[in-house]
Amino acid sequence: MIIVEPKSFEEIEQMTKGCGRLLVLGCETCSAMCFAGGQRQVAEIASSIRMSKKMSQDQTEVLDDTVARQCELEFLDHVKDKVAACNTVLSLSCGAGVQTMAKMFPDRRILPAVNTKFIGRATKRGEWMEMCMACGDCILERTAGICPVTRCAKGLLNGPCGGATGGICEVSKDQPCVWQEIYHALKRLNMLHYLKQKPQVKDWPVHPDKVVRKDLREVGAT
Amino acid sequence: MDNTTHIEYQDFPPCQMACPILTDAREYVQFIAERRFEEAFASIRKLNPLPRVCGRICMHPCEIACKRGQIEEPISIAALKRFAADGPWADHYKVALPGKSTGYKVAVVGSGPAGLAAAHDLALLGHHVTIFEALPVLGGMLRTGIPAYRLPKDVLDEQIQTILDLGVEVKTGVLIGEDIKLSNLFEHGYKAVFVAIGAHEDRKLGIAGEDEIEGVVSAVSFLRQVNQGENPEIGKKVAVIGGGNTAIDSARATLRLCADAVYIVYRRSRKEMPAEEEEIEEAAHEGIQLFYLTSPLEIIGQDGKVSALKCIKNELGEPDASGRRSPKHVPGSEFAIDVDMVIAAIGQVPDSSLLADELELTERGNRIHLNVPNTLATTLAGVFAGGDAVTGSATAIEAIAAGKKVAISIDCYLREESPPTASRTEVVETKKLPSGVVEKTQKFARCHNISLPIDERLKGFDEVKSVFSEDLAVQEALRCLHCGIGASVSTERCISCLNCVQVCPVGAPATTKMGEINIDRFLCQACGICALECPVQAIDIGLHPRGELGQQIKKAVSMSEDTAVVGFFDYQGSFGPDDVSSLKKQYPGIAPIMVFGLRRVDTSDVLNAFEAGADAVLLAGCPSAREPFAAASSGVTQRMAQAKAVLDVLGLDGRRLQIFDMPERGLVDEEHLTEFMHTIADLGPNPLR
Ligand SMILES: Cc1cc2nc3c(=O)[nH]c(=O)nc-3n(C[C@H](O)[C@H](O)[C@H](O)COP(=O)(O)OP(=O)(O)OC[C@H]3O[C@@H](n4cnc5c(N)ncnc54)[C@H](O)[C@@H]3O)c2cc1C
Ligand code: SF4
Ligand code: SF4
Ligand code: SF4
């Protein structure tokens, strides 16, 4: 899942000053799961901005709505009338959603209400951890399902740096040394010999990357 | 019509499901918790024509089913009914009599609870009802069986009068079957008859000496004398045989008539005793000695009068057909109790001999046989029967249920319509609570009404139990766990984020493999925590839905003219109407909104209040000892900190929002509130107003 973090209300308030008629639009997949983009958050932000506008004698209206995912044109189609009726949209979606909005509604200002952080998972309620850097060349089969690219502070591919003390990373003092974890996991799986393999050169993608699935496209091609 | 046809409910909680007339206990308990006493009474009264009677003597199957009973003790549902029905607000209830009569005459034979309930419901359906009663007095066993210390006669009189006030006619001293035959009633213009003659004949003990020796009496006739103020002659030492309410009442009545020693002899153990647990306790408390696992063998006489009761000890064997373990004599364990009076109270059968030539009776037990059990129709056309006469001695509420049912049957019969089929109902499945839930649920002791001191009691037949005070009733009602009226998920909105699964204090929400969320309606306690934590607002709570709160907030702000302070007050606190009115008087600007815990108030609710123009918002949470979901309080603090931060950014000032702890008694601490009101005055009005 994409992990996002709500921007402070101060920042949002600054951003929306003089924005004209505004639509606060939630995104009810990843962003909602991060408590940053669901209906509940929308209600809170919309009310706050309405008050802010009133305080500065700004008469323009604030509408609100949510869609399942802002990164799909089909879902955005459901709010096109509302968007058309506004000057600006405050998107509570990740960067992909904000940009999809901008693409779909090229003559509207689309503002981000969240900071998009990483691909990760909830480790406990209200805490998320980065799990994957989207490097484009997955090596998890060799590292017992633990990603050193993302989770080793130095991004080492060929084993630990040797600086860990008591199993704790020398750089990120609140994180375990991920190479130590990989070692124990491989040992458990009787796969320690994997460590002896020469690290392969990674095929880093050129950004922006793109994925094209010819196999699928051909099935549904028109 | 509303008064007699059963409403189709969304779901039935365990208490309601257990009640023979499907009283919505959850609803009236809830009304009491919210101090809406008049509505509580209306909720009871719309189904039950004898609420003050039931509030005192009902065997309350609802309490046996009550989910709270699995935590510590059930809600005092019956005592709360009495509270709601005894209060002055009960006078405001108006029955909806139909504008015009149907012109049909219906005869009701017997004025016990079955007959009274039928008369009530039939009158409301527009029929002309006449009650025929053999005795000079009305009420059946409620009057002649149950002594006044449990059901005062003036209460019964008042209850019966409300039914007679519906235009019900009464003919006392008429023994149907002898003075008038059932079939003759039709000649007198009655189009239908309901036979509710009860079960008034005590079963024989079947032991030696019973018939010949003087001083052996039947409980029914003994209690009938007592209850009609005839002061029957009693012994100095009395043994009552039996384990039901009749036995306990006979014993307690004898004690009040100044017997020196009273014993109850029961063949099984206390666990099997059919009498009400509380009654058994009271009897023991009053000094009655109970012999369990004891059977009488013989009544021993001297000069033709009782001198002793020979008994034998029992042990319990295998369960019999009724599921109760049957007693077996222990050889050689005979003993004798010195007594000069024996009261037989081992159950009653109907005295239906007078009707035997017209109605078919059951082979055993002399009960009236029903031709169509669903409509209570007997073998004679137009004649219906119910109550103890059909079931054998049972309970008042079952008799009332029969009376209500027959009213519908008779109405259909008169209109030549087919009787209604049972309405579709959804039942909240009653299960055993997992031990984890029992452990995690905050315990609150059951409230007890005050009992008369023993020496006062034994002076006469004054009512033993008093009615709950308002505060105690509210406190007791707040123990309800709101079965079946808690959280429900909109599957369309849910995004399977699993927050509800994680935050629920009792583990009610669970997920399927495909991520769909089901909230177990039996487990849920309607705390509302999940509804606030759901990021997409897919959950709402049946008890005070979120939409209601939104409307209340808008209304609260629009109502106040001067300074507008929206105050969220926790129902779970300890305060009374006086506290609310004095707060309103002192601070007319404060518009109180009552909530079930501050956990029900979201950040956006507070922001909405300010947006609507509130000058300030205060939240007052109950003292910690009364908080059923203590773990939720940190969430409240966090949400309000968020709202404060927004207010600061907006320049509205976070100090306009404050959380208070309610004092042990009252709504808010005077000193803190004054300080808060000063701060608000200094800050000036909300510029958004
Ligand atoms: C001592 C005692 C204590 C009890 N305690 C409780 C309790 O705490 N809680 C509870 O729920 N239940 C209790 N019960 C049971 C309850 O009272 C009965 O189940 C209930 O009253 C039955 O109602 P009914 O209308 O069927 O009959 P009844 O109340 O027995 O009424 C029948 C009426 O019909 C009249 N009648 C009989 N024959 C004729 C005739 N031929 N013609 C005209 N009239 C006739 C009788 O005089 C009587 O008034 C108790 C019973 C007794 C005896
Ligand atoms: S807890 Fe309340 S709703 Fe549940 S069974 Fe008891 S009285 Fe009824
Ligand atoms: S918290 Fe809401 S969205 Fe999340 S699983 Fe529960 S019902 Fe669904
Ligand atoms: S309302 Fe409370 S008890 Fe019911 S499911 Fe939600 S969190 Fe659990």
Side-chain angles (χ1 to χ4, degrees):
Chain A
M1 167 170 90
I2 312 282
I3 308 304
V4 304
E5 204 177 38
K7 283 182 181 288
S8 73
F9 178 61
E10 258 162 312
E11 196 180 342
I12 291 176
E13 203 204 19
Q14 281 305 319
M15 210 189 287
T16 51
K17 277 240 151 65
C19 67
R21 207 155 184 247
L22 176 73
L23 172 65
V24 178
L25 188 62
C27 180
E28 299 203 322
T29 305
C30 308
S31 185
M33 294 209 196
C34 297
F35 300 99
Q39 179 63 47
R40 194 174 157 232
Q41 193 72 20
V42 168
E44 229 173 275
I45 294 189
S47 175
S48 309
I49 298 177
R50 269 194 291 267
M51 281 193 269
S52 154
K53 281 180 177 266
K54 267 199 204 163
M55 292 289 277
S56 51
Q57 317 297 327
D58 177 348
Q59 304 287 331
T60 54
E61 215 182 334
V62 178
L63 311 182
D64 59 69
D65 209 336
T66 56
V67 291
R69 290 198 294 278
Q70 290 187 24
C71 55
E72 306 281 5
L73 297 174
E74 285 81 350
F75 294 142
L76 296 183
D77 205 46
H78 292 285
V79 289
K80 64 173 189 294
D81 293 343
K82 263 195 189 159
V83 176
C86 293
N87 307 88
T88 309
V89 179
L90 180 68
S91 162
L92 275 62
S93 176
C94 71
V98 175
Q99 294 182 63
T100 313
M101 289 286 297
K103 163 109 189 115
M104 174 109 170
F105 307 106
D107 45 8
R108 291 290 180 275
R109 278 183 71 202
I110 315 293
L111 310 175
V114 304
N115 292 324
T116 307
K117 304 291 281 193
F118 47 75
I119 299 174
R121 71 174 188 95
T123 36
K124 60 181 194 215
R125 236 179 86 73
E127 187 182 289
W128 294 267
M129 199 171 121
E130 186 170 11
M131 305 301 287
C132 170
M133 273 220 207
C135 73
D137 185 16
C138 192
I139 58 160
L140 287 170
E141 88 282 6
R142 281 186 275 140
T143 56
I146 300 169
C147 176
V149 182
T150 314
R151 292 166 63 189
C152 166
K154 298 176 182 170
L156 297 179
L157 286 177
N158 55 347
C161 64
T165 30
I168 298 297
C169 171
E170 103 178 316
V171 183
S172 318
K173 292 272 191 296
D174 58 343
Q175 292 293 334
C177 167
V178 84
W179 270 109
Q180 200 153 325
E181 286 193 3
I182 293 172
Y183 174 83
H184 287 301
L186 285 174
K187 194 172 171 192
R188 201 167 50 237
L189 297 169
N190 214 8
M191 282 164 54
L192 271 183
H193 56 282
Y194 274 57
L195 282 181
K196 300 208 175 99
Q197 289 176 2
K198 254 206 208 137
Q200 284 164 19
V201 177
K202 272 185 73 68
D203 185 10
W204 295 100
V206 177
H207 285 284
D209 200 1
K210 185 177 184 182
V211 174
V212 181
R213 288 278 299 272
K214 289 233 176 62
D215 49 341
L216 297 185
R217 289 199 134 218
E218 274 156 20
V219 175
T222 45
Chain B
M1 284 296 272
D2 241 39
N3 291 356
T4 43
T5 45
H6 285 158
I7 306 149
E8 260 189 44
Y9 288 90
Q10 281 298 303
D11 48 29
F12 284 8
C15 47
Q16 186 177 18
M17 206 44 222
C19 175
I21 63 167
L22 297 174
T23 304
D24 193 346
R26 181 185 68 198
E27 181 178 78
Y28 77 74
V29 168
Q30 192 51 38
F31 278 137
I32 294 174
E34 296 176 23
R35 291 184 181 270
R36 292 156 71 180
F37 304 137
E38 203 172 318
E39 284 152 286
F41 178 68
S43 162
I44 297 165
R45 181 63 181 82
K46 70 181 181 216
L47 287 173
N48 191 336
L50 299 168
R52 297 183 70 195
V53 170
C54 288
R56 289 169 164 82
I57 58 94
C58 185
M59 301 286 282
H60 45 66
C62 51
E63 293 189 18
I64 295 163
C66 173
K67 186 167 92 182
R68 225 342 145 186
Q70 294 192 42
I71 309 285
E72 53 329 65
E73 281 184 283
I75 310 295
S76 272
I77 303 175
L80 287 175
K81 174 173 288 153
R82 171 171 172 191
F83 167 78
D86 274 7
W89 48 81
D91 297 340
H92 304 166
Y93 185 82
K94 295 265 176 301
V95 277
L97 263 180
K100 75 179 203 289
S101 151
T102 58
Y104 292 120
K105 280 172 68 179
V106 181
V108 170
V109 182
S111 64
L116 289 170
H120 173 268
D121 282 14
L122 284 164
L124 291 188
L125 288 165
H127 305 303
H128 187 88
V129 185
T130 308
I131 298 178
F132 293 89
E133 168 58 56
L135 296 175
V137 286
L138 300 177
M141 278 302 188
L142 301 180
R143 186 176 303 271
T144 62
I146 301 176
Y149 61 81
R150 284 209 289 140
L151 177 58
K153 301 300 169 207
D154 59 331
V155 171
L156 183 59
D157 289 341
E158 183 271 341
Q159 293 274 273
I160 293 174
Q161 195 54 47
T162 60
I163 295 173
L164 301 186
D165 286 347
L166 304 176
V168 172
E169 231 181 286
V170 174
K171 291 197 191 329
T172 48
V174 184
L175 191 58
I176 298 293
E178 191 171 279
D179 300 334
I180 308 177
K181 285 275 155 204
L182 280 176
S183 44
N184 291 138
L185 286 169
F186 293 99
E187 287 158 27
H188 285 92
Y190 295 100
K191 296 287 180 222
V193 181
F194 176 45
V195 180
I197 58 166
H200 288 220
E201 201 171 276
D202 270 302
R203 284 223 210 90
K204 290 284 214 179
L205 294 171
I207 55 173
E210 182 174 11
D211 294 322
E212 322 77 80
I213 300 177
E214 195 186 314
V216 185
V217 297
S218 107
V220 171
S221 54
F222 170 69
L223 285 172
R224 185 178 295 173
Q225 284 178 305
V226 172
N227 281 314
Q228 294 188 317
E230 286 170 19
N231 274 338
E233 207 180 299
I234 61 148
K236 286 266 165 250
K237 291 177 162 189
V238 184
V240 179
I241 300 165
N245 279 327
T246 316
I248 305 275
D249 279 339
S250 304
R252 293 178 74 190
T254 336
L255 205 62
R256 282 163 172 74
L257 295 171
C258 301
D260 291 339
V262 181
Y263 312 103
I264 289 178
V265 175
Y266 177 55
R267 57 191 183 137
R268 292 186 169 100
S269 72
R270 168 150 185 179
K271 216 176 96 213
E272 285 82 20
M273 219 165 167
E276 243 252 76
E277 183 66 27
E278 259 181 80
E279 297 304 315
I280 306 173
E281 266 165 37
E282 293 293 351
H285 186 50
E286 287 172 8
I288 290 162
Q289 198 181 334
L290 291 112
F291 289 95
Y292 296 108
L293 290 166
T294 305
S295 288
L297 283 181
E298 187 187 343
I299 293 163
I300 299 167
Q302 207 172 18
D303 309 327
K305 289 190 175 167
V306 176
S307 66
L309 180 69
K310 190 174 161 197
C311 300
I312 187 162
K313 292 302 264 177
N314 294 327
E315 57 189 11
L316 290 179
E318 291 304 305
D320 64 7
S322 73
R324 291 189 300 179
R325 297 172 65 192
S326 50
K328 284 205 182 72
H329 294 341
V330 178
S333 66
E334 294 86 348
F335 68 102
I337 314 172
D338 264 359
V339 292
D340 52 8
M341 182 184 188
V342 172
I343 301 178
I346 58 165
Q348 300 86 39
V349 289
D351 180 7
S352 40
S353 50
L354 293 172
L355 307 175
D357 56 338
E358 291 184 283
L359 296 179
E360 194 181 316
L361 304 181
T362 56
E363 260 170 52
R364 289 181 54 201
N366 242 5
R367 300 190 296 267
I368 297 172
H369 172 77
L370 292 181
N371 205 23
V372 191
N374 190 34
T375 61
L376 306 184
T378 64
T379 43
L380 193 61
V383 178
F384 299 76
D388 281 4
V390 167
T391 56
S393 55
T395 64
I397 193 65
E398 285 166 281
I400 293 174
K404 294 185 70 66
K405 188 169 180 178
V406 90
I408 298 171
S409 302
I410 289 181
D411 187 55
C412 294
Y413 169 81
L414 294 173
R415 295 173 194 276
E416 293 178 23
E417 285 167 11
S418 50
T421 47
S423 58
R424 188 183 51 84
T425 52
E426 238 184 275
V427 175
V428 177
E429 197 193 342
T430 311
K431 297 179 281 202
K432 201 169 172 314
L433 285 176
S435 59
V437 173
V438 174
E439 226 167 82
K440 278 186 227 145
T441 307
Q442 176 80 21
K443 317 284 180 291
F444 291 102
R446 178 173 157 119
C447 303
H448 292 277
N449 30 20
I450 302 163
S451 300
L452 213 57
I454 300 284
D455 50 340
E456 285 297 318
R457 292 187 199 186
L458 300 185
K459 281 184 195 156
F461 282 80
D462 284 353
E463 186 165 24
V464 167
K465 293 240 169 75
S466 64
V467 65
F468 273 146
S469 66
E470 285 189 12
D471 283 348
L472 211 56
V474 170
Q475 193 184 327
E476 178 62 13
L478 280 168
R479 296 177 64 231
C480 174
L481 296 167
H482 319 295
C483 310
I485 197 170
S488 57
V489 178
S490 147
T491 37
E492 204 173 284
R493 291 210 47 79
C494 170
I495 57 165
S496 304
C497 73
L498 304 186
N499 268 298
C500 49
V501 177
Q502 290 160 4
V503 297
C504 174
V506 295
T511 174
T512 64
K513 188 165 143 243
M514 295 315 291
E516 206 167 285
I517 298 291
N518 294 315
I519 298 189
D520 188 315
R521 291 187 305 159
F522 181 66
L523 289 186
C524 173
Q525 299 179 4
C527 70
I529 296 172
C530 60
L532 255 72
E533 291 297 330
C534 174
V536 298
Q537 298 182 334
I539 303 179
D540 209 349
I541 308 291
L543 173 73
H544 290 210
R546 299 230 357 108
E548 276 177 17
L549 185 63
Q551 281 161 21
Q552 281 175 309
I553 294 169
K554 284 214 180 72
K555 203 172 136 206
V557 180
S558 68
M559 296 255 287
S560 54
E561 289 156 12
D562 215 9
T563 321
V565 180
V566 175
F568 294 98
F569 294 97
D570 189 347
Y571 274 118
Q572 298 158 150
S574 169
F575 53 84
D578 297 349
D579 298 301
V580 181
S581 59
S582 79
L583 179 84
K584 277 187 179 162
K585 205 179 286 158
Q586 210 180 345
Y587 300 103
I590 299 184
I593 297 177
M594 299 294 169
V595 288
F596 276 95
L598 299 185
R599 56 180 183 274
R600 292 291 195 107
V601 185
D602 204 351
T603 322
S604 58
D605 297 323
V606 170
L607 294 176
N608 284 340
F610 283 107
E611 197 189 329
D615 296 307
V617 171
L618 75 86
L619 297 95
C622 68
S624 56
R626 295 174 74 104
E627 171 60 62
F629 302 99
S633 55
S634 65
V636 177
T637 333
Q638 270 166 26
R639 282 193 283 276
M640 292 316 126
Q642 248 167 27
K644 268 174 180 286
V646 171
L647 295 177
D648 280 337
V649 172
L650 289 171
L652 274 175
D653 205 311
R655 282 177 297 170
R656 289 181 192 270
L657 168 62
Q658 198 156 322
I659 308 182
F660 291 84
D661 288 328
M662 278 183 178
E664 284 308 311
R665 169 80 219 189
L667 285 166
V668 266
D669 184 77
E670 186 67 48
E671 204 182 309
H672 291 152
L673 182 60
T674 317
E675 209 184 292
F676 181 54
M677 297 306 267
H678 278 314
T679 312
I680 301 165
D682 290 347
L683 290 171
N686 177 350
L688 299 178
R689 228 165 171 218

